[in-house]
Amino acid sequence: MVWQPFGKHVPAAYQTSYRVARILLELLLLAIAIHYILSVIYPTLSFSFDFRAPNSLKNNLDEPRLADGSPLLNGKVAAGNVLFADLSAFGNFSQAEAEIDLAENSDLPKELTLSLRRSYRSFFYPTGEPVKTFPQAVLYRVSDTYYELRENILYPFVSAEAFHSRYPESLAQTSSDSLLQKYPVSDQWLGYRVGSLLGFADGVFIVTSETEVRPIASASIFLALGYDFKDVKPVSEEEMGVYKRGRIILRSIAHPDGTILLSKDDGSYLIIENKEKRPLLPSAYRDFLLQEMTPIVVSEGEGNERAECAFESPAGSRKLTCRTPLVAMADNFGDDYELQIKNIDRPLSIDVLSLSLSESKNKENLFSFLIDLRNRIYSRFNYAPQP
Amino acid sequence: MPPSPKKMSRKIFLFKRDLLFVYHALLSEFLLWAFLGFLALMTFDTIVPNLVSIKMVMTLYFLVLTAGTIVLVFLSRFLDISYERGFPLQKTFLAASYLWLGAVMVISLLRFPNWSLPLFIFGFAGVLFLFSRVFLTRKN
C-alpha cells in the first residue's frame, strides 16, 4: 500500500493524474537532494573578477595584475603582456575551467593560453637576496625586562618569551637601571617575531606584523597552510594585548614575513620577507629560527608544474572558454593557484574573468571528504584533529 | 443543445477547483519533504558549522518554506480542507522532536561561556512557549 496522506481530498477523476504528478514530484525532489549531496561531497568552486566593478565584494579572484606586478583593475591588457591572478581553494580538484567575457569594444584574440600552477602563495614570490645573520638590533636586558634600542628609544619586550622568539639570550647585553635614565622608554611594546603562531583561549593566531595578529578560522585551514600545531606558543592576555586583531583567516593567505620554507628538492631553506622568498643560508640565525618554527615544505619542481589550455570561442561569440585537467598537480604542497593568461596577441578588454575548479567523483575524493568531515566534527567537540 | 454560458463557467470553475485539490495535495507533500530537508540541513550545520550554509542561503530556503506554507493555508481555507489533530505515533514523534531539540541546543551552546547558558535556554524556552500559545492554542 502506498503512503498517501495528502491525496484523500483529491477528486476520484484526478486520482491517476495526482499519482503520476506525485511520483514526478518525488523524483524531482530526490534528484535535487542527490545533486546537492554530490555538490557538497565533490564541490565545484567558482572564482571570478568583474573588471566593470573592480571593488565589488563578489570578486574573489585575488590581485589581478600585469607582468610587472602593477594591479589590473580596468581589464585592459596590452598585446604581449601577461595577466596574473591568485586564488585559494582547499580540495583535490581534478579539472579547471576558465571563461573570459570580452568587452564589446575588445579585439578578438587569435590565440590565448591559460596557465595554472599550484603551491603556497608565498612560494610564488620572486627570490630575493640571501640572509645569513640576525636582523641588526641593539638589545639590552635590565633585570627581567628585555629592550631593543631603535633611534635612541628603548622599546620593551612584552615578555622574555617574546624576546626569545626573535633573538637568543646571548645577543642581549645585561645592563643596569641607569640605561633607563639614559634613553626614553617607549610605551609601545614589542611582541613575538612576525610569523609566529600564538595560542590564546581557544584560538590560534598568526603574527602578521609588529602590531597585528590574525585568527585562523579552523584547524583545517591551519593545516592547509602547512603549519604544525607544536609550533603554537601559548600566550597570556597581556602578551596578546600588544596586538590589534586583524581579519579572520577563512581561506589560504600568503604566509606572512618570517615564515620559513623548506624546499624538498634540494633541502634549502627560504624565509619570506617583504614579498620575496630569501634563501636562508647555513648560520646561527638559521639554526635559531629552525628551533622556533617547523619549516613549511615546498617543492621548486612542483611549483613550476603547469596546467595549460588554449582558449576557444564559438564563432561570433565574445566568450572564450578553456578546460584543463589538474591531475598532475594533485599532490602538490599548498592550496594556492596562480593563474596566468598569456600569449596575448592583440589588446584585450576583459569584462569578467572567471575560473571554476571541480573535483572528480571518485573514491579517493569521497574518502578525503569523509576524513575532513570527521576532523571537523572532532574539532567541533574539542578533540584534536587527525591530519 | 450547447450548454448555457452560466453552466459552462460553472463547469470551468468546478474543473479548476478540482485541480486545486491536486495542487493542494502536491504542495502539502512538497512542504513535508522540504521541512524535513530543512531540519536535516540545520542539524548538519549545527554539528559541522558551514557544511551547509557555505553552499546554501538557509534564510532563502526558510522564506520559500514560509511562503509555501502561507499559500497552503489559504488554499486549505479556500477548498475547506481541514486535518484532524493527532496522528499515529504522535507521542513517539513528539518525544523524538524534544530529544532532537535538546541535542541541537546542547551542541549549539558548546562554545558559549557558562554564565550565558541559562539566558539562552530560558530565552529560547520563552519564545517557544509564546509561539505555542499563538499557534497551537485552540480557539473557543
Side-chain angles (χ1 to χ4, degrees):
Chain A
M1 189 182 141
V2 181
W3 183 64
Q4 198 170 293
F6 305 111
K8 63 182 178 184
H9 298 289
V10 175
Y14 287 96
Q15 278 293 342
T16 311
S17 313
Y18 165 64
R19 278 185 200 133
V20 172
R22 190 181 166 219
I23 290 168
L24 290 177
L25 175 72
E26 284 176 359
L27 286 176
L28 179 73
L29 292 176
L30 188 68
I32 291 172
I34 290 172
H35 175 75
Y36 178 75
I37 291 168
L38 287 177
S39 75
V40 170
I41 298 175
Y42 307 106
T44 295
L45 299 186
S46 299
F47 302 84
S48 65
F49 195 95
D50 189 339
F51 291 98
R52 296 164 303 183
N55 297 320
S56 167
L57 294 175
K58 285 184 181 172
N59 292 334
N60 55 358
L61 265 179
D62 299 333
E63 297 181 38
R65 59 195 182 276
L66 297 171
D68 62 358
S70 58
L72 176 71
L73 298 176
N74 59 7
K76 294 187 191 321
V77 190
N81 214 328
V82 181
L83 190 164
F84 289 84
D86 299 321
L87 59 112
S88 300
F90 302 134
N92 303 319
F93 299 101
S94 55
Q95 184 169 273
E97 189 171 348
E99 191 175 291
I100 293 176
D101 285 347
L102 291 173
E104 285 296 322
N105 57 358
S106 176
D107 289 340
L108 277 172
K110 276 193 177 158
E111 60 170 331
L112 199 60
T113 308
L114 168 79
S115 176
L116 281 173
R117 57 178 177 151
R118 176 184 167 184
S119 184
Y120 291 107
R121 205 175 287 204
S122 51
F123 194 56
F124 294 141
Y125 287 155
T127 306
E129 291 291 311
V131 188
K132 199 173 180 176
T133 55
F134 282 92
Q136 290 289 321
V138 181
L139 304 162
Y140 294 101
R141 178 180 176 173
V142 178
S143 46
D144 283 340
T145 308
Y146 294 83
Y147 296 89
E148 182 173 336
L149 188 65
R150 294 179 187 171
E151 295 170 347
N152 287 329
I153 298 173
L154 286 172
Y155 288 83
F157 281 87
V158 69
S159 65
E161 289 76 16
F163 174 83
H164 288 126
S165 73
R166 297 175 184 239
Y167 307 104
E169 183 67 31
S170 59
L171 292 187
Q173 306 166 40
T174 306
S175 184
S176 63
D177 285 350
S178 62
L179 183 81
L180 306 180
Q181 311 301 322
K182 194 175 171 188
Y183 299 108
V185 178
S186 169
D187 55 5
Q188 184 191 329
W189 295 85
L190 296 179
Y192 284 78
R193 192 177 71 86
V194 177
S196 299
L197 299 167
L198 309 181
F200 180 68
D202 271 351
V204 174
F205 299 77
I206 308 182
V207 181
T208 49
S209 75
E210 291 286 357
T211 55
E212 186 193 73
V213 288
R214 290 182 67 183
I216 301 176
S218 71
S220 53
I221 295 174
F222 180 90
L223 294 170
L225 281 165
Y227 289 124
D228 192 324
F229 278 104
K230 75 177 183 341
D231 293 330
V232 178
K233 298 178 174 76
V235 294
S236 65
E237 199 166 348
E238 188 189 4
E239 289 172 307
M240 278 299 280
V242 172
Y243 303 102
K244 66 176 193 302
R245 295 193 188 192
R247 280 183 299 125
I248 188 166
I249 296 171
L250 293 165
R251 58 197 176 106
S252 182
I253 55 160
H255 294 107
D257 283 0
T259 305
I260 303 157
L261 309 177
L262 165 62
S263 170
K264 75 163 193 176
D265 303 325
D266 57 6
S268 63
Y269 292 89
L270 301 147
I271 186 165
I272 302 300
E273 273 182 23
N274 299 323
K275 296 205 165 188
E276 285 186 336
K277 52 179 197 284
R278 303 177 65 183
L280 194 54
L281 302 180
S283 60
Y285 181 44
R286 188 174 90 175
D287 296 341
F288 173 80
L289 289 178
L290 291 178
Q291 282 173 5
E292 286 294 307
M293 194 174 193
T294 311
I296 293 164
V297 181
V298 292
S299 165
E300 191 82 45
E302 286 179 1
N304 290 327
E305 279 171 3
R306 289 175 186 279
E308 298 195 338
C309 59
F311 280 94
E312 291 172 354
S313 70
S317 170
R318 310 194 72 77
K319 197 168 276 193
L320 311 171
T321 56
C322 102
R323 194 179 288 178
T324 176
L326 299 174
V327 181
M329 299 194 286
D331 297 324
N332 282 20
F333 294 104
D335 290 292
D336 297 317
Y337 293 81
E338 185 193 67
L339 171 158
Q340 287 183 29
I341 308 288
K342 56 186 188 181
N343 296 335
I344 300 174
D345 60 346
R346 55 194 65 197
L348 290 183
S349 181
I350 300 172
D351 274 351
V352 183
L353 169 63
S354 49
L355 183 94
S356 58
L357 303 174
S358 52
E359 285 192 3
S360 289
K361 293 176 180 58
N362 58 31
K363 228 189 287 179
E364 286 76 25
N365 285 340
L366 175 65
F367 287 141
S368 168
F369 169 79
L370 292 175
I371 289 167
D372 181 53
L373 191 65
R374 183 197 64 179
N375 289 343
R376 288 169 71 178
I377 293 171
Y378 278 3
S379 162
R380 181 83 170 98
F381 296 101
N382 284 341
Y383 285 100
Q386 307 294 308
Chain B
M1 189 181 161
S4 68
K6 198 175 173 184
K7 269 191 175 175
M8 270 300 283
S9 61
R10 181 172 163 71
K11 267 192 169 178
I12 291 168
F13 171 75
L14 284 177
F15 169 74
K16 283 187 176 169
R17 189 179 154 83
D18 285 353
L19 259 187
L20 285 181
F21 281 103
V22 178
Y23 295 148
H24 176 273
L26 291 174
L27 182 59
S28 304
E29 183 144 1
F30 166 76
L31 283 174
L32 173 74
W33 290 115
F35 269 109
L36 286 176
F38 187 76
L39 210 69
L41 294 178
M42 281 292 287
T43 310
F44 289 136
D45 215 49
T46 306
I47 296 170
V48 184
N50 294 333
L51 180 72
V52 174
S53 47
I54 204 162
K55 287 193 77 73
M56 184 184 274
V57 186
M58 294 297 278
T59 322
L60 189 67
Y61 191 159
F62 189 70
L63 282 178
V64 170
L65 287 181
T66 312
T69 309
I70 291 169
V71 171
L72 187 73
V73 167
F74 278 106
L75 211 52
S76 301
R77 283 187 183 170
F78 179 71
L79 297 173
D80 202 20
I81 293 174
S82 62
Y83 290 96
E84 287 171 16
R85 279 166 180 259
F87 49 88
L89 298 174
Q90 187 177 11
K91 279 188 180 168
T92 315
F93 176 79
L94 274 178
S97 304
Y98 288 134
L99 200 67
W100 174 84
L101 203 63
V104 164
M105 204 168 194
V106 168
I107 295 168
S108 307
L109 295 177
L110 272 181
R111 299 279 171 110
F112 284 94
N114 290 339
W115 62 263
S116 67
L117 300 185
L119 281 178
F120 281 114
I121 293 169
F122 286 115
F124 184 71
V127 170
L128 211 63
F129 174 72
L130 286 177
F131 267 106
S132 69
R133 295 280 295 177
V134 172
F135 292 112
L136 300 181
T137 308
R138 199 186 287 261
K139 283 180 189 167
N140 291 322

mmCIF file of all heavy atoms in Angstrom, chain A residues 35-65:
data_model
loop_
_atom_site.group_PDB
_atom_site.id
_atom_site.type_symbol
_atom_site.label_atom_id
_atom_site.label_comp_id
_atom_site.label_asym_id
_atom_site.label_seq_id
_atom_site.Cartn_x
_atom_site.Cartn_y
_atom_site.Cartn_z
ATOM 1 N N HIS A 35 21.701 15.738 -6.176
ATOM 2 C CA HIS A 35 22.565 16.768 -6.769
ATOM 3 C C HIS A 35 23.232 17.594 -5.674
ATOM 4 O O HIS A 35 24.434 17.880 -5.724
ATOM 5 C CB HIS A 35 21.734 17.668 -7.686
ATOM 6 C CG HIS A 35 22.502 18.821 -8.238
ATOM 7 N ND1 HIS A 35 23.414 18.675 -9.248
ATOM 8 C CD2 HIS A 35 22.537 20.132 -7.883
ATOM 9 C CE1 HIS A 35 23.963 19.850 -9.514
ATOM 10 N NE2 HIS A 35 23.452 20.738 -8.693
ATOM 11 N N TYR A 36 22.449 17.949 -4.651
ATOM 12 C CA TYR A 36 23.000 18.770 -3.569
ATOM 13 C C TYR A 36 24.074 17.999 -2.790
ATOM 14 O O TYR A 36 25.158 18.529 -2.506
ATOM 15 C CB TYR A 36 21.878 19.229 -2.619
ATOM 16 C CG TYR A 36 22.427 20.040 -1.482
ATOM 17 C CD1 TYR A 36 22.840 21.345 -1.690
ATOM 18 C CD2 TYR A 36 22.597 19.484 -0.217
ATOM 19 C CE1 TYR A 36 23.404 22.088 -0.677
ATOM 20 C CE2 TYR A 36 23.157 20.219 0.811
ATOM 21 C CZ TYR A 36 23.552 21.525 0.570
ATOM 22 O OH TYR A 36 24.124 22.243 1.580
ATOM 23 N N ILE A 37 23.769 16.739 -2.457
ATOM 24 C CA ILE A 37 24.732 15.927 -1.686
ATOM 25 C C ILE A 37 26.032 15.776 -2.488
ATOM 26 O O ILE A 37 27.133 15.931 -1.950
ATOM 27 C CB ILE A 37 24.121 14.551 -1.336
ATOM 28 C CG1 ILE A 37 23.004 14.748 -0.317
ATOM 29 C CG2 ILE A 37 25.180 13.604 -0.778
ATOM 30 C CD1 ILE A 37 22.130 13.536 -0.097
ATOM 31 N N LEU A 38 25.905 15.510 -3.790
ATOM 32 C CA LEU A 38 27.107 15.362 -4.627
ATOM 33 C C LEU A 38 27.904 16.666 -4.687
ATOM 34 O O LEU A 38 29.129 16.659 -4.675
ATOM 35 C CB LEU A 38 26.719 14.925 -6.047
ATOM 36 C CG LEU A 38 26.261 13.469 -6.181
ATOM 37 C CD1 LEU A 38 25.841 13.183 -7.612
ATOM 38 C CD2 LEU A 38 27.368 12.507 -5.761
ATOM 39 N N SER A 39 27.171 17.807 -4.712
ATOM 40 C CA SER A 39 27.882 19.091 -4.794
ATOM 41 C C SER A 39 28.594 19.416 -3.484
ATOM 42 O O SER A 39 29.536 20.197 -3.474
ATOM 43 C CB SER A 39 26.919 20.213 -5.181
ATOM 44 O OG SER A 39 26.123 20.552 -4.080
ATOM 45 N N VAL A 40 28.126 18.819 -2.376
ATOM 46 C CA VAL A 40 28.825 19.020 -1.098
ATOM 47 C C VAL A 40 30.049 18.106 -1.039
ATOM 48 O O VAL A 40 31.137 18.517 -0.642
ATOM 49 C CB VAL A 40 27.876 18.740 0.097
ATOM 50 C CG1 VAL A 40 28.646 18.694 1.411
ATOM 51 C CG2 VAL A 40 26.812 19.821 0.173
ATOM 52 N N ILE A 41 29.865 16.856 -1.454
ATOM 53 C CA ILE A 41 30.982 15.894 -1.385
ATOM 54 C C ILE A 41 32.040 16.212 -2.440
ATOM 55 O O ILE A 41 33.237 16.161 -2.172
ATOM 56 C CB ILE A 41 30.454 14.449 -1.565
ATOM 57 C CG1 ILE A 41 29.490 14.113 -0.433
ATOM 58 C CG2 ILE A 41 31.612 13.441 -1.578
ATOM 59 C CD1 ILE A 41 28.814 12.766 -0.580
ATOM 60 N N TYR A 42 31.597 16.521 -3.637
ATOM 61 C CA TYR A 42 32.532 16.831 -4.740
ATOM 62 C C TYR A 42 32.278 18.268 -5.199
ATOM 63 O O TYR A 42 31.601 18.494 -6.209
ATOM 64 C CB TYR A 42 32.314 15.874 -5.915
ATOM 65 C CG TYR A 42 32.358 14.421 -5.546
ATOM 66 C CD1 TYR A 42 31.194 13.664 -5.484
ATOM 67 C CD2 TYR A 42 33.564 13.789 -5.247
ATOM 68 C CE1 TYR A 42 31.224 12.317 -5.142
ATOM 69 C CE2 TYR A 42 33.599 12.454 -4.901
ATOM 70 C CZ TYR A 42 32.429 11.726 -4.855
ATOM 71 O OH TYR A 42 32.465 10.411 -4.508
ATOM 72 N N PRO A 43 32.790 19.232 -4.456
ATOM 73 C CA PRO A 43 32.402 20.616 -4.765
ATOM 74 C C PRO A 43 33.041 21.160 -6.041
ATOM 75 O O PRO A 43 34.114 20.707 -6.450
ATOM 76 C CB PRO A 43 32.919 21.392 -3.541
ATOM 77 C CG PRO A 43 34.040 20.580 -3.016
ATOM 78 C CD PRO A 43 33.727 19.141 -3.342
ATOM 79 N N THR A 44 32.356 22.103 -6.628
ATOM 80 C CA THR A 44 32.935 22.907 -7.704
ATOM 81 C C THR A 44 33.024 24.323 -7.164
ATOM 82 O O THR A 44 32.013 24.899 -6.759
ATOM 83 C CB THR A 44 32.030 22.884 -8.948
ATOM 84 O OG1 THR A 44 32.008 21.555 -9.448
ATOM 85 C CG2 THR A 44 32.553 23.818 -10.028
ATOM 86 N N LEU A 45 34.240 24.832 -7.092
ATOM 87 C CA LEU A 45 34.415 26.181 -6.550
ATOM 88 C C LEU A 45 34.597 27.164 -7.697
ATOM 89 O O LEU A 45 35.357 26.896 -8.628
ATOM 90 C CB LEU A 45 35.630 26.234 -5.626
ATOM 91 C CG LEU A 45 35.590 25.335 -4.389
ATOM 92 C CD1 LEU A 45 36.786 25.619 -3.502
ATOM 93 C CD2 LEU A 45 34.310 25.539 -3.598
ATOM 94 N N SER A 46 33.888 28.274 -7.598
ATOM 95 C CA SER A 46 33.960 29.271 -8.677
ATOM 96 C C SER A 46 34.611 30.553 -8.171
ATOM 97 O O SER A 46 34.330 30.999 -7.064
ATOM 98 C CB SER A 46 32.554 29.586 -9.186
ATOM 99 O OG SER A 46 31.993 28.407 -9.698
ATOM 100 N N PHE A 47 35.462 31.102 -9.016
ATOM 101 C CA PHE A 47 36.157 32.346 -8.690
ATOM 102 C C PHE A 47 35.991 33.280 -9.887
ATOM 103 O O PHE A 47 36.020 32.831 -11.027
ATOM 104 C CB PHE A 47 37.653 32.088 -8.457
ATOM 105 C CG PHE A 47 37.914 31.102 -7.352
ATOM 106 C CD1 PHE A 47 37.874 29.738 -7.604
ATOM 107 C CD2 PHE A 47 38.158 31.531 -6.065
ATOM 108 C CE1 PHE A 47 38.086 28.818 -6.590
ATOM 109 C CE2 PHE A 47 38.367 30.623 -5.047
ATOM 110 C CZ PHE A 47 38.330 29.265 -5.305
ATOM 111 N N SER A 48 35.840 34.556 -9.587
ATOM 112 C CA SER A 48 35.702 35.483 -10.716
ATOM 113 C C SER A 48 36.159 36.880 -10.330
ATOM 114 O O SER A 48 36.290 37.199 -9.136
ATOM 115 C CB SER A 48 34.243 35.523 -11.187
ATOM 116 O OG SER A 48 33.442 36.063 -10.179
ATOM 117 N N PHE A 49 36.412 37.667 -11.339
ATOM 118 C CA PHE A 49 36.711 39.084 -11.130
ATOM 119 C C PHE A 49 36.000 39.859 -12.224
ATOM 120 O O PHE A 49 36.192 39.597 -13.409
ATOM 121 C CB PHE A 49 38.226 39.349 -11.178
ATOM 122 C CG PHE A 49 38.586 40.688 -10.618
ATOM 123 C CD1 PHE A 49 38.974 40.822 -9.290
ATOM 124 C CD2 PHE A 49 38.509 41.830 -11.399
ATOM 125 C CE1 PHE A 49 39.273 42.061 -8.753
ATOM 126 C CE2 PHE A 49 38.799 43.077 -10.862
ATOM 127 C CZ PHE A 49 39.197 43.189 -9.548
ATOM 128 N N ASP A 50 35.149 40.791 -11.789
ATOM 129 C CA ASP A 50 34.406 41.615 -12.727
ATOM 130 C C ASP A 50 35.137 42.948 -12.853
ATOM 131 O O ASP A 50 35.117 43.752 -11.921
ATOM 132 C CB ASP A 50 32.971 41.815 -12.198
ATOM 133 C CG ASP A 50 32.083 42.481 -13.229
ATOM 134 O OD1 ASP A 50 32.619 43.143 -14.145
ATOM 135 O OD2 ASP A 50 30.849 42.349 -13.124
ATOM 136 N N PHE A 51 35.786 43.149 -14.005
ATOM 137 C CA PHE A 51 36.573 44.368 -14.181
ATOM 138 C C PHE A 51 35.685 45.605 -14.352
ATOM 139 O O PHE A 51 36.169 46.716 -14.288
ATOM 140 C CB PHE A 51 37.515 44.222 -15.388
ATOM 141 C CG PHE A 51 38.615 43.229 -15.129
ATOM 142 C CD1 PHE A 51 38.508 41.916 -15.585
ATOM 143 C CD2 PHE A 51 39.736 43.584 -14.401
ATOM 144 C CE1 PHE A 51 39.507 40.995 -15.332
ATOM 145 C CE2 PHE A 51 40.738 42.662 -14.143
ATOM 146 C CZ PHE A 51 40.627 41.363 -14.609
ATOM 147 N N ARG A 52 34.371 45.389 -14.560
ATOM 148 C CA ARG A 52 33.470 46.545 -14.634
ATOM 149 C C ARG A 52 33.130 47.029 -13.223
ATOM 150 O O ARG A 52 32.651 48.133 -13.036
ATOM 151 C CB ARG A 52 32.184 46.156 -15.375
ATOM 152 C CG ARG A 52 32.429 45.772 -16.819
ATOM 153 C CD ARG A 52 31.249 45.031 -17.386
ATOM 154 N NE ARG A 52 30.955 43.838 -16.595
ATOM 155 C CZ ARG A 52 30.017 42.959 -16.879
ATOM 156 N NH1 ARG A 52 29.251 43.132 -17.933
ATOM 157 N NH2 ARG A 52 29.816 41.911 -16.120
ATOM 158 N N ALA A 53 33.316 46.146 -12.237
ATOM 159 C CA ALA A 53 33.063 46.514 -10.836
ATOM 160 C C ALA A 53 34.224 45.992 -9.993
ATOM 161 O O ALA A 53 34.075 45.041 -9.226
ATOM 162 C CB ALA A 53 31.734 45.911 -10.372
ATOM 163 N N PRO A 54 35.410 46.610 -10.161
ATOM 164 C CA PRO A 54 36.611 46.056 -9.507
ATOM 165 C C PRO A 54 36.564 46.081 -7.981
ATOM 166 O O PRO A 54 37.302 45.353 -7.337
ATOM 167 C CB PRO A 54 37.747 46.942 -10.029
ATOM 168 C CG PRO A 54 37.097 48.161 -10.548
ATOM 169 C CD PRO A 54 35.719 47.803 -10.959
ATOM 170 N N ASN A 55 35.690 46.931 -7.411
ATOM 171 C CA ASN A 55 35.629 47.000 -5.945
ATOM 172 C C ASN A 55 34.521 46.125 -5.363
ATOM 173 O O ASN A 55 34.281 46.143 -4.156
ATOM 174 C CB ASN A 55 35.419 48.445 -5.484
ATOM 175 C CG ASN A 55 36.586 49.317 -5.892
ATOM 176 O OD1 ASN A 55 37.742 48.881 -5.813
ATOM 177 N ND2 ASN A 55 36.308 50.519 -6.359
ATOM 178 N N SER A 56 33.850 45.368 -6.226
ATOM 179 C CA SER A 56 32.744 44.544 -5.747
ATOM 180 C C SER A 56 33.254 43.475 -4.777
ATOM 181 O O SER A 56 34.299 42.855 -4.978
ATOM 182 C CB SER A 56 32.062 43.868 -6.940
ATOM 183 O OG SER A 56 31.202 42.860 -6.479
ATOM 184 N N LEU A 57 32.470 43.252 -3.709
ATOM 185 C CA LEU A 57 32.848 42.234 -2.721
ATOM 186 C C LEU A 57 32.703 40.825 -3.288
ATOM 187 O O LEU A 57 33.195 39.865 -2.721
ATOM 188 C CB LEU A 57 31.981 42.378 -1.463
ATOM 189 C CG LEU A 57 32.207 43.666 -0.671
ATOM 190 C CD1 LEU A 57 31.225 43.765 0.477
ATOM 191 C CD2 LEU A 57 33.635 43.738 -0.140
ATOM 192 N N LYS A 58 31.999 40.717 -4.436
ATOM 193 C CA LYS A 58 31.819 39.389 -5.045
ATOM 194 C C LYS A 58 33.087 38.913 -5.752
ATOM 195 O O LYS A 58 33.214 37.736 -6.052
ATOM 196 C CB LYS A 58 30.666 39.434 -6.054
ATOM 197 C CG LYS A 58 29.303 39.478 -5.402
ATOM 198 C CD LYS A 58 28.221 39.431 -6.459
ATOM 199 C CE LYS A 58 26.855 39.502 -5.815
ATOM 200 N NZ LYS A 58 25.808 39.654 -6.829
ATOM 201 N N ASN A 59 33.990 39.841 -6.035
ATOM 202 C CA ASN A 59 35.226 39.457 -6.723
ATOM 203 C C ASN A 59 36.081 38.601 -5.795
ATOM 204 O O ASN A 59 36.494 39.059 -4.726
ATOM 205 C CB ASN A 59 36.019 40.702 -7.135
ATOM 206 C CG ASN A 59 35.305 41.481 -8.210
ATOM 207 O OD1 ASN A 59 34.530 40.916 -8.977
ATOM 208 N ND2 ASN A 59 35.545 42.774 -8.279
ATOM 209 N N ASN A 60 36.320 37.362 -6.165
ATOM 210 C CA ASN A 60 37.128 36.503 -5.293
ATOM 211 C C ASN A 60 38.357 35.927 -5.994
ATOM 212 O O ASN A 60 38.992 35.023 -5.468
ATOM 213 C CB ASN A 60 36.277 35.385 -4.662
ATOM 214 C CG ASN A 60 35.551 34.565 -5.686
ATOM 215 O OD1 ASN A 60 35.635 34.839 -6.883
ATOM 216 N ND2 ASN A 60 34.845 33.554 -5.251
ATOM 217 N N LEU A 61 38.669 36.448 -7.175
ATOM 218 C CA LEU A 61 39.992 36.189 -7.749
ATOM 219 C C LEU A 61 40.873 37.307 -7.214
ATOM 220 O O LEU A 61 40.561 38.483 -7.377
ATOM 221 C CB LEU A 61 39.945 36.270 -9.280
ATOM 222 C CG LEU A 61 39.756 34.992 -10.066
ATOM 223 C CD1 LEU A 61 39.718 35.311 -11.558
ATOM 224 C CD2 LEU A 61 40.838 33.973 -9.786
ATOM 225 N N ASP A 62 41.979 36.925 -6.562
ATOM 226 C CA ASP A 62 42.755 37.935 -5.850
ATOM 227 C C ASP A 62 43.821 38.574 -6.733
ATOM 228 O O ASP A 62 44.436 37.904 -7.569
ATOM 229 C CB ASP A 62 43.451 37.290 -4.642
ATOM 230 C CG ASP A 62 42.454 36.718 -3.662
ATOM 231 O OD1 ASP A 62 41.319 37.225 -3.621
ATOM 232 O OD2 ASP A 62 42.800 35.755 -2.956
ATOM 233 N N GLU A 63 44.007 39.835 -6.473
ATOM 234 C CA GLU A 63 45.113 40.607 -7.043
ATOM 235 C C GLU A 63 45.343 40.399 -8.532
ATOM 236 O O GLU A 63 46.429 39.970 -8.949
ATOM 237 C CB GLU A 63 46.419 40.292 -6.296
ATOM 238 C CG GLU A 63 46.380 40.689 -4.837
ATOM 239 C CD GLU A 63 47.697 40.385 -4.138
ATOM 240 O OE1 GLU A 63 48.762 40.561 -4.765
ATOM 241 O OE2 GLU A 63 47.655 39.961 -2.978
ATOM 242 N N PRO A 64 44.370 40.691 -9.394
ATOM 243 C CA PRO A 64 44.670 40.648 -10.830
ATOM 244 C C PRO A 64 45.732 41.701 -11.121
ATOM 245 O O PRO A 64 45.651 42.828 -10.622
ATOM 246 C CB PRO A 64 43.332 40.999 -11.492
ATOM 247 C CG PRO A 64 42.498 41.608 -10.438
ATOM 248 C CD PRO A 64 42.996 41.139 -9.120
ATOM 249 N N ARG A 65 46.748 41.300 -11.880
ATOM 250 C CA ARG A 65 47.881 42.204 -12.086
ATOM 251 C C ARG A 65 48.562 41.871 -13.404
ATOM 252 O O ARG A 65 48.318 40.809 -13.986
ATOM 253 C CB ARG A 65 48.880 42.081 -10.922
ATOM 254 C CG ARG A 65 49.421 40.686 -10.742
ATOM 255 C CD ARG A 65 50.104 40.484 -9.395
ATOM 256 N NE ARG A 65 50.650 39.133 -9.300
ATOM 257 C CZ ARG A 65 49.949 38.066 -8.921
ATOM 258 N NH1 ARG A 65 48.682 38.185 -8.603
ATOM 259 N NH2 ARG A 65 50.514 36.877 -8.875
#
